[in-house]
Amino acid sequence: MLSFKLSVVVSLLAVTSPAQSHAEPPNDTIGLNEDGKYELSAEGIRALFIPYGASITNLFINDTHGIERDIVLGFDNASHYSIDPFHPHLGGVPGRYANRIKNSSFVIDGMEYNVTPNENYNNDTLHGGPDGWDYRNFTVVAHTSDSITFSIVDPDGKEGFPGEVVSYITYTLSPYAWYIKMVALATTKKTPIMLTSHTYWNLDGFANPDTPTALNHTLSLPFSGQRVGVDGILIPDGTILPNIRYSVNDFWSGPKQIGTNFPSPDLLGNCGTNCTGYDNCYLVNRAQKGSYDWHTHPVATLASSWSGIQVDIYSEQEAFQFYSCGGQNGTLPIKSTQGLEDRPRVVEQYGCVVLEVQDWIDAINHPEWQRQNKQVFGPGDKPYVLEAAYVFSVNDASIG
Ligand SMILES: *[C@@H]1O[C@H](CO)[C@@H](O)[C@H](O)[C@H]1NC(C)=O
Ligand SMILES: *[C@@H]1O[C@H](CO)[C@@H](O)[C@H](O)[C@H]1NC(C)=O
Ligand SMILES: *[C@@H]1O[C@H](CO)[C@@H](O)[C@H](O)[C@H]1NC(C)=O
Ligand SMILES: *[C@@H]1O[C@H](CO)[C@@H](O)[C@H](O)[C@H]1NC(C)=O
Ligand SMILES: *[C@@H]1O[C@H](CO)[C@@H](O)[C@H](O)[C@H]1NC(C)=O
Ligand SMILES: *[C@@H]1O[C@H](CO)[C@@H](O)[C@H](O)[C@H]1NC(C)=O
Ligand SMILES: *[C@@H]1O[C@H](CO)[C@@H](O)[C@H](O)[C@H]1NC(C)=O
Ligand SMILES: *[C@@H]1O[C@H](CO)[C@@H](O)[C@H](O)[C@H]1NC(C)=O
Ligand SMILES: *[C@@H]1O[C@H](CO)[C@@H](O)[C@H](O)[C@H]1NC(C)=O
């Protein structure tokens, strides 16, 4: 099984860089289905994408009984994303700087920059500001039956960020796998860049009759013995904390159901003031397993014993944000492809999990972490690059 997965990931490396293509953009409306989405498929996997936020909207995997499950959150119709701008970054690419920026400011070469705040009564900037990349339409620059490339040009000064950034997001399906490559270039000035895929998962497609939540999903973060310390509004405070074995944040010593520690008082406040659950940035201490090769060991594994569906996440990124959807409250709708007839068609609290490969959050405000060359890019620098592979498999369903 492992060698099969490795061959999948390695074969994906052959994907060519879209940035080298100078072809005329194709007619964007060709290949759209009636819901305004682009469909890609490969053996064992089918997924739909939209230009809005370069978002994934549907991801179908057959469960252990051969029933197709749509295991990501999204809207049924592409038009709805622009109409309902309060959606919580559903499946898109937050940019140009994912996660939170303390006090909506940072310093580059002695110059202070102030970006547009949009969270906690304007005390910080989340996911690139109120008009971040995942609230804008990307352009489709290439599209085949198993791959699509989106691009965006983010102008100088937009949301307060210095300089223009040009980015290409490529999604490719291969048998049982979804591969992501993100490239971004700062063309005019030095600027922070950090991207991720903000996909919400429920590996049961919200159809598990025992629970509408993801609390019974099992999570493993084998390299994450440490996490970034944060204040009550989830802004890094500069500390790096130990995830002590068997503590609520220990997902490294072995796989654990997400809900296992919910009764523990230690989990109150773990995701901000008065918040019970997870919204934490775990470090990926990969050197622990020897040679540094991101294709050989997943940084995270999420599995549901009800559907049998498992996703192994491979990435070269060195941190991993895990959010247990404590902010959901039964108002966000699920899709027509999800859920059960006799249950409210909404996302309940803890109904999903977000797993974001990225770099150490807000490192632009922590120069002592020495990650400037991973997060600040200027003209002539190497491009920002993120690669990840989500590899799916199906285990036998649990009995009972
Ligand atoms: C794009 O393709 C659609 C569907 O085939 C067609 O109706 C439309 O006229 C085309 N647009 C352009 C600009 O070629
Ligand atoms: C679905 O999306 C398409 C393309 O965006 C749009 O033309 C159509 O009106 C939408 N249908 C509904 C029911 O919203
Ligand atoms: C699920 O199985 C059915 C029946 O074999 C097949 O037609 C379908 O393509 C499969 N779905 C996926 C996503 O592979
Ligand atoms: C927050 O940013 C403002 C500029 O918007 C600056 O004047 C202030 O000193 C900053 N505060 C802290 C605590 O860094
Ligand atoms: C946000 O900043 C204001 C001051 O501008 C402060 O009064 C308030 O307590 C802060 N809110 C949070 C949640 O930190
Ligand atoms: C994105 O494109 C769709 C389809 O053309 C359009 O209806 C929508 O208004 C656009 N949204 C934004 C935020 O530009
Ligand atoms: C589901 O999670 C709950 C709470 O953590 C636990 O009590 C229950 O045993 C779990 N069920 C299964 C089937 O694992
Ligand atoms: C946290 O909960 C306590 C007790 O319910 C409450 O007094 C306090 O105002 C809450 N704080 C915030 C920031 O919501
Ligand atoms: C549920 O969450 C939404 C989105 O954050 C918010 O607008 C709404 O007021 C919340 N509803 C309740 C009942 O808390």
Side-chain angles (χ1 to χ4, degrees):
M1 194 58 183
L2 183 62
S3 60
F4 160 73
K5 285 180 183 175
L6 291 185
S7 69
V8 169
V9 176
V10 171
S11 71
L12 287 165
L13 280 177
V15 176
T16 51
S17 167
Q20 277 135 35
S21 163
H22 296 284
E24 193 134 305
N27 181 340
D28 271 12
T29 63
I30 292 175
L32 288 177
N33 72 11
E34 68 274 14
D35 293 326
K37 301 176 179 179
Y38 294 89
E39 176 164 338
L40 310 183
S41 63
E43 184 190 341
I45 184 167
R46 191 160 65 83
L48 304 175
F49 299 90
I50 55 170
Y52 185 89
S55 304
I56 187 167
T57 64
N58 306 71
L59 201 167
F60 298 95
I61 300 286
N62 279 344
D63 74 8
T64 184
H65 301 296
I67 300 170
E68 261 194 5
R69 301 292 173 197
D70 184 354
I71 59 175
V72 301
L73 272 181
F75 291 135
D76 278 321
N77 195 287
S79 307
H80 198 57
Y81 288 78
S82 295
I83 293 165
D84 177 9
F86 301 109
H87 69 76
H89 312 276
L90 288 178
V93 178
R96 73 176 70 173
Y97 194 85
N99 220 291
R100 295 179 174 83
I101 298 175
K102 182 180 184 175
N103 194 32
S104 302
S105 68
F106 52 85
V107 174
I108 295 176
D109 293 342
M111 170 97 84
E112 180 178 305
Y113 294 93
N114 295 295
V115 291
T116 313
N118 62 340
E119 205 195 24
N120 294 309
Y121 309 101
N122 291 340
N123 282 290
D124 65 277
T125 294
L126 176 64
H127 293 326
D131 194 29
W133 290 8
D134 56 353
Y135 286 81
R136 297 184 226 165
N137 280 328
F138 285 55
T139 303
V140 177
V141 293
H143 176 216
T144 67
S145 64
D146 61 7
S147 185
I148 191 163
T149 298
F150 296 101
S151 78
I152 190 169
V153 177
D154 191 18
D156 183 10
K158 184 85 175 88
E159 305 301 284
F161 287 100
E164 179 193 73
V165 172
V166 178
S167 180
Y168 295 87
I169 310 296
T170 298
Y171 300 126
T172 304
L173 301 187
S174 71
Y176 300 94
W178 172 29
Y179 172 73
I180 298 176
K181 183 165 187 178
M182 302 187 182
V183 178
L185 301 138
T187 55
T188 58
K189 293 176 188 163
K190 274 194 191 175
T191 187
I193 302 177
M194 185 162 79
L195 305 178
T196 189
S197 169
H198 201 281
T199 303
Y200 290 79
W201 304 88
N202 180 303
L203 299 180
D204 299 334
F206 300 92
N208 182 343
D210 299 332
T211 175
T213 77
L215 292 175
N216 286 110
H217 288 25
T218 297
L219 179 67
S220 158
L221 302 172
F223 301 106
S224 296
Q226 293 173 298
R227 70 186 187 282
V228 173
V230 291
D231 67 13
I233 57 168
L234 300 179
I235 309 296
D237 60 12
T239 62
I240 301 298
L241 302 175
N243 301 329
I244 292 166
R245 193 190 294 265
Y246 308 134
S247 69
V248 299
N249 286 294
D250 171 19
F251 289 93
W252 60 269
S253 72
K256 185 168 77 179
Q257 283 195 8
I258 290 167
T260 300
N261 296 126
F262 269 62
S264 166
D266 294 349
L267 209 55
L268 175 60
N270 196 55
C271 44
T273 303
N274 287 354
C275 174
T276 296
Y278 300 95
D279 196 355
N280 303 85
C281 180
Y282 298 92
L283 304 188
V284 176
N285 296 311
R286 196 176 333 236
Q288 172 66 13
K289 298 243 164 140
S291 71
Y292 184 95
D293 180 351
W294 69 268
H295 313 97
T296 52
H297 298 285
V299 295
T301 297
L302 183 73
S304 165
S305 62
W306 181 76
S307 65
I309 296 174
Q310 171 172 325
V311 56
D312 289 295
I313 303 179
Y314 298 81
S315 178
E316 28 66 296
Q317 296 292 298
E318 292 174 5
F320 195 93
Q321 184 88 13
F322 160 45
Y323 169 51
S324 58
C325 285
Q328 290 302 324
N329 61 11
T331 54
L332 186 70
I334 57 172
K335 285 170 288 182
S336 58
T337 47
Q338 300 176 319
L340 293 170
E341 289 305 322
D342 56 354
R343 202 160 61 197
R345 305 196 56 77
V346 294
V347 184
E348 303 291 354
Q349 191 179 34
Y350 313 124
C352 43
V353 296
V354 181
L355 306 172
E356 303 163 52
V357 298
Q358 57 195 220
D359 202 57
W360 298 25
I361 60 173
D362 201 28
I364 51 175
N365 280 311
H366 291 284
E368 73 279 11
W369 290 348
Q370 300 183 299
R371 306 198 66 82
Q372 298 308 98
N373 70 356
K374 303 228 178 238
Q375 302 205 356
V376 177
F377 298 83
D381 288 346
K382 281 188 299 186
Y384 167 93
V385 178
L386 175 152
E387 290 187 89
Y390 295 72
V391 180
F392 299 90
S393 54
V394 182
N395 304 307
D396 288 342
S398 63
I399 317 252

